[in-house]
Amino acid sequence: MSLGQQNIAVLAQARDLLAQLDPAHLEPSGSTSGVGAHLRHCFDAYRCFLRGLDADGLIDYDARERDVEVERDPNIALARVDELVCALDALSVDAANQPVRVRHDAAAWEHADPWSQSTVARELQFLLSHTIHHYALIAHLLAVRGVEVDATFGVAPSTLEYRSAVATCAQ
C-alpha cells in the first residue's frame, strides 16, 4: 500500500469515527483540547501539505487555517475528510520522490532559515505519524467520556503488525 493510500486509510478511520459522534463529543473536556480540535489540527496539516504541493512545493505547516467549524460540526468535519481523501487519491505515486521545502514551527528558529528540504514521501510519513498520534489522544478523550472506538484507532501500523505477530506466535 502506498503512503498516499495509507494516509487515506487513516482518514477513513476519522470518517468512521465522526459517523458515530454527535457535536457534544467534539467539544473540549475540562482544560484539554477537545476531539474536534485534534481532528481539525490533523486536517489542517493535510491541507497545508496539499496547498504546498500546489504552491511550487513550499509546504508551510505554520499557515494552518484553524477552521473552528470543523471542530464543532461532525458534518463539516466529514466533508473535510472527503475533500482530503479525494486530493490524496489524486496524487501520483511518481510524486513520492518530488523534492519539497517545508516550514514547521519556524518561530523556534529565530535566526535560521525556517525552510527544510524534504520529499513528498517523507511528508506523507510525517502526516501519517502525526495523525495517528492525535488519534491516540482522541481515543483517550473519548474513553474518558465512555465512548468506545475501534481498537485499531490511534495505533501505529507497526504496532498492529507486532500485535498480530505476537498473537500468531502465541497460538
Side-chain angles (χ1 to χ4, degrees):
M1 181 183 300
S2 73
L3 282 167
Q5 293 302 314
Q6 289 177 47
N7 278 274
I8 288 170
V10 167
L11 287 168
Q13 288 182 319
R15 183 187 298 125
D16 294 343
L17 178 72
L18 284 161
Q20 75 181 47
L21 299 180
D22 61 46
H25 290 122
L26 300 179
E27 295 174 1
S29 175
S31 63
T32 64
S33 293
V35 168
H38 283 284
L39 287 171
R40 190 257 322 137
H41 175 75
C42 293
F43 301 164
D44 279 352
Y46 279 102
R47 291 184 75 174
C48 289
F49 167 76
L50 293 163
R51 191 170 49 244
L53 292 182
D54 289 338
D56 297 326
L58 295 175
I59 301 170
D60 187 353
Y61 291 114
D62 292 343
R64 295 184 304 277
E65 293 176 357
R66 296 174 172 90
D67 182 359
V68 295
E69 289 304 310
V70 172
E71 296 181 27
R72 298 178 184 147
D73 187 333
N75 292 319
I76 293 173
L78 280 166
R80 185 72 73 236
V81 169
D82 290 339
E83 291 169 13
L84 295 171
V85 165
C86 286
L88 289 171
D89 195 43
L91 284 180
S92 164
V93 174
D94 296 334
N97 293 321
Q98 176 186 332
V100 293
R101 291 185 43 90
V102 178
R103 186 172 94 147
H104 189 40
D105 294 328
W109 302 90
E110 289 182 26
H111 300 292
D113 181 0
W115 294 92
S116 300
Q117 296 292 332
S118 189
T119 65
V120 168
R122 177 63 192 106
E123 293 313 302
L124 287 170
Q125 288 173 330
F126 159 73
L127 288 166
L128 188 65
S129 176
H130 175 259
T131 302
I132 291 169
H133 166 79
H134 279 276
Y135 282 10
L137 295 170
I138 289 167
H140 175 73
L141 289 170
L142 289 170
V144 168
R145 291 181 170 194
V147 178
E148 286 189 41
V149 298
D150 186 277
T152 63
F153 187 84
V155 181
S158 59
T159 301
L160 294 172
E161 288 176 20
Y162 171 78
R163 289 177 182 169
S164 177
V166 168
T168 300
C169 290
Q171 293 177 354

